[in-house]
Amino acid sequence: MSRSLTFRIFRYDPQLPGDAPKMVDYQLDETPGMTVFIALNRLRAEQDPSLQFDFVCRAGICGSCAMVINGLPTLACRTLTAKYPEAVITLMPLPGFELIGDLSVNTGKFMRELAERLKLWLHPKAQQADIHHLEQPMEPDEAAKLYELERCVECGVCVSACATAQMRDTFVGAVGMMKIARFELDSRDARTADDFYHVLGTQDGVFGCMTLLGCQDNCPKDLPHMQQIAYLRRKMAGTLIALNRA
């Protein structure tokens, strides 16, 4: 027997003059294997074509459909409606990002500004090019470590789940520190811990993290956020000690 679900959805279009934030209830019959993503598409197709939300891949690898579901930030495409026995599902947009409309937020703008601020691209070491090599070799262990950190889909869940990020918009956040850790581990990158100190060795970096585990507990890709933050914190502490001695 299918059950009737109530979706309590945040509605607000900042581009629409006179519109005001509100919660709107929708009723929908549950189907086997239904995800929140499937439900939202049905609601938009069958009941309200003005409903705004984002999606691309439907497989948890693009991060576009991130939203707050019953109080927790996560991906709609990986959240089964069956996990909510109360049959009432409340949907809110991710906090900490520019609102586009309803459940749609501009995570792309945030991630681009973060990448430009932290210079999140490879800074290769100066060396003579060897035309006989198509690519620079890398040890398998190092490649595996980099791949683990590259699994981030930039969904913004860790930012929305972070108390420090909600209090301080200049905070680098778990996603920024994860990406810096990726380049710090990369033997091809010319930068050292000293080069990252100006963006990580402050309250906006690793020393601003309150270790509440919001990023770790809510990351839909189960990335080792706290492990990398602790790693970078040790690196920055070592740099700070060296600077004080100098």
Side-chain angles (χ1 to χ4, degrees):
M1 293 291 294
S2 63
R3 59 176 180 163
S4 178
L5 300 175
T6 298
F7 287 88
R8 191 158 294 150
I9 302 177
F10 174 86
R11 301 300 310 272
Y12 174 54
D13 187 349
Q15 305 299 320
L16 187 62
D19 196 19
K22 55 186 175 295
M23 301 298 295
V24 178
D25 286 358
Y26 298 88
Q27 305 297 321
L28 190 67
D29 289 337
E30 188 176 36
T31 56
M34 177 184 280
T35 63
V36 172
F37 162 80
I38 293 174
L40 283 171
N41 275 277
R42 282 190 55 193
L43 287 174
R44 184 157 66 181
E46 300 171 9
Q47 299 185 33
D48 192 342
S50 68
L51 182 60
Q52 299 182 64
F53 61 94
D54 299 317
F55 71 93
V56 177
C57 72
R58 305 189 302 173
I61 58 175
C62 74
S64 300
C65 67
M67 61 187 65
V68 179
I69 303 177
N70 279 14
L72 294 176
T74 188
L75 298 181
C77 68
R78 299 185 64 181
T79 304
L80 293 171
T81 57
K83 70 178 292 187
Y84 302 107
E86 299 298 325
V88 177
I89 301 175
T90 301
L91 305 179
M92 301 283 291
L94 289 181
F97 298 97
E98 177 186 345
L99 179 68
I100 296 175
D102 299 338
L103 303 174
S104 176
V105 296
N106 197 343
T107 54
K109 178 181 178 181
F110 175 90
M111 296 300 173
R112 176 169 182 171
E113 291 176 349
L114 186 69
E116 293 174 349
R117 172 187 170 193
L118 303 181
K119 296 179 172 56
L120 297 176
W121 54 83
L122 187 71
H123 294 234
K125 295 178 179 178
Q127 57 187 11
Q128 185 175 0
D130 185 351
I131 62 173
H132 300 292
H133 287 86
L134 296 179
E135 59 185 23
Q136 184 173 338
M138 178 182 291
E139 292 296 327
D141 287 346
E142 180 183 352
K145 291 178 181 178
L146 295 182
Y147 172 76
E148 174 69 5
L149 305 187
E150 286 281 10
R151 292 193 301 109
C152 174
V153 296
E154 298 185 356
C155 61
V157 165
C158 62
V159 177
S160 294
C162 176
T164 305
Q166 300 310 308
M167 294 187 296
R168 188 184 305 124
D169 58 9
T170 55
F171 184 57
V172 170
V175 60
M177 286 185 268
M178 178 70 69
K179 291 181 176 296
I180 286 180
R182 176 255 180 271
F183 288 109
E184 205 282 331
L185 286 169
D186 197 328
S187 61
R188 301 167 298 175
D189 199 283
R191 291 170 292 182
T192 65
D194 292 349
D195 298 311
F196 294 117
Y197 182 77
H198 70 287
V199 293
L200 285 183
T202 67
Q203 289 298 307
D204 286 335
V206 292
F207 300 121
C209 173
M210 297 187 290
T211 322
L212 298 178
L213 303 181
C215 55
Q216 185 85 25
D217 292 343
N218 293 282
C219 177
K221 306 301 288 186
D222 296 321
L223 292 172
H225 288 289
M226 293 312 304
Q227 176 185 336
Q228 297 308 317
I229 292 174
Y231 167 76
L232 291 173
R233 189 174 285 168
R234 290 194 300 271
K235 287 282 187 177
M236 294 304 105
T239 300
L240 179 60
I241 291 172
L243 290 173
N244 289 335
R245 288 177 177 173

